[in-house]
Amino acid sequence: MTQRFLVHPSTRVEGSIRVPGDKSVSHRALMLGAIATGTSHVTGFLPGEDCLSTLAALRSLGIEVRQHDATTIDVVGRGLRGLAPPRQALDMGNSGTAMRLFMGLLAAQPFPTELIGDESLSKRPMERVARPLRQMGADIQTNHGTPPVRIAGGASLHGLRFEMPVASAQVKSAVLLAALYAAGETSVTEPGVTRDHTERMLVRLGCRVGRSGRTVTVAGGSVLSGTRIPVPGDLSSAAFMVLAGCLATEGELVIEGVGLNPTRTGILQILGLMGADLRVEAAADDGGEPVGRLIVRPSRLRGADIPPDLVPLAIDEFPVIFVAAAMADGETVVRGAEELRHKESDRIRVMADGLRTLGIDVQELPDGARIRGGRLRAGTIDSGGDHRVAMSFAVGASRAEGPVTILDTANVATSYPGFVGQAGAIGLDVRVTADA
Ligand code: S3P
């Protein structure tokens, strides 16, 4: 059984919404809560399939997680040495974040573990995490670079000074998690700024984290203490609705309670460069993640050369940016974004194929694309099973010349449960159909 979206054109986007909780922060709240001492009370948790994979894996590792409702949970931490051996392989589903962060967390446990994933995850690179963990003393095997990942367990880790070759928050976070178990200090130096949710949450849980330029340092044996962890709305989910508000011809959309961590806000800067009528109102910071409100109105978008230094700050939003570019006046050039080929799909190829099918002139480049803006026509495109591709096309299709069918959309539930309902509430016409 597969699922598809059928999208009909619409013009007005309006209302006031809250998007579901941040995926990156939700994974980290569960994992760090599990190895803290005492209970962490998590509010605004994302009950998407990716984070539920992390939750199920922690339960298999003996952690008690009490779910009061879909978004309010208590994680009963058992301290750094409190995880128990699982009875079977831990299934990470579609989630690269879950698999990579668990590699760091499990590298120093006294028992062996195996991490598996779905078809998409089973093709994604894991050596980028395994390599530095091996340098710390871990015994980890991948299957020619991809999952399943087998961790022998029982290794004594030592600190590492790691110059990270790719700008990846997942690699950084895995090494920082392993660092808690390593003798001495571990530092990670990143080549470009990546999201810093792990560092912020470690600090919130009472861990000392050194920061100097692009280097983060953590000492082995640092003790974490359970606490209250509010999860902000996911800016990566809000991005689809921001695009909808820009592409509309009437209305005003307000998105409340969105995470505005400066390591994530590249999309707001990029849409700003493209002429979006977008206002950002920051709210008071409670010492964890910055949050605020976005107000978006119909905009005349224009093409732009995307500055390469904004790429890591908007790494998950390129499907949105490709659609914005396809509907902007003039040409947009994306370079320095080779990482997009290693996401839930090869996002450069899948986006270029889909946009071309809908009549847009796109030249694929090894590390990006050149997109000439135009008008989307009716048609059928394949999302490649990629949640963010499916949602970006659903929004773009709302301003197409006729109905658009988007294939293979079930994975939208990995990050944005309720997307179709919320899209409908603000004025889009997205229907779900299932076929054998
Ligand atoms: C994430 C980091 C990013 C991002 C992913 C979530 C995280 O991946 O694409 O959706 O939570 O750390 P990389 O670290 O591979 O860039």
Side-chain angles (χ1 to χ4, degrees), residues 350-363:
V350 176
M351 288 305 301
D353 285 352
L355 288 176
R356 270 194 222 110
T357 302
L358 299 182
I360 301 296
D361 177 3
V362 183
Q363 184 194 350

Side-chain angles (χ1 to χ4, degrees), residues 23-24 28 97 100 128 167-170 195 315-316 343:
K23 183 152 74 72
S24 294
R28 286 158 171 84
T97 308
R100 297 198 178 113
R128 52 176 62 192
S168 164
Q170 293 177 354
R195 62 191 70 193
I315 194 64
D316 288 342
K343 296 297 177 186

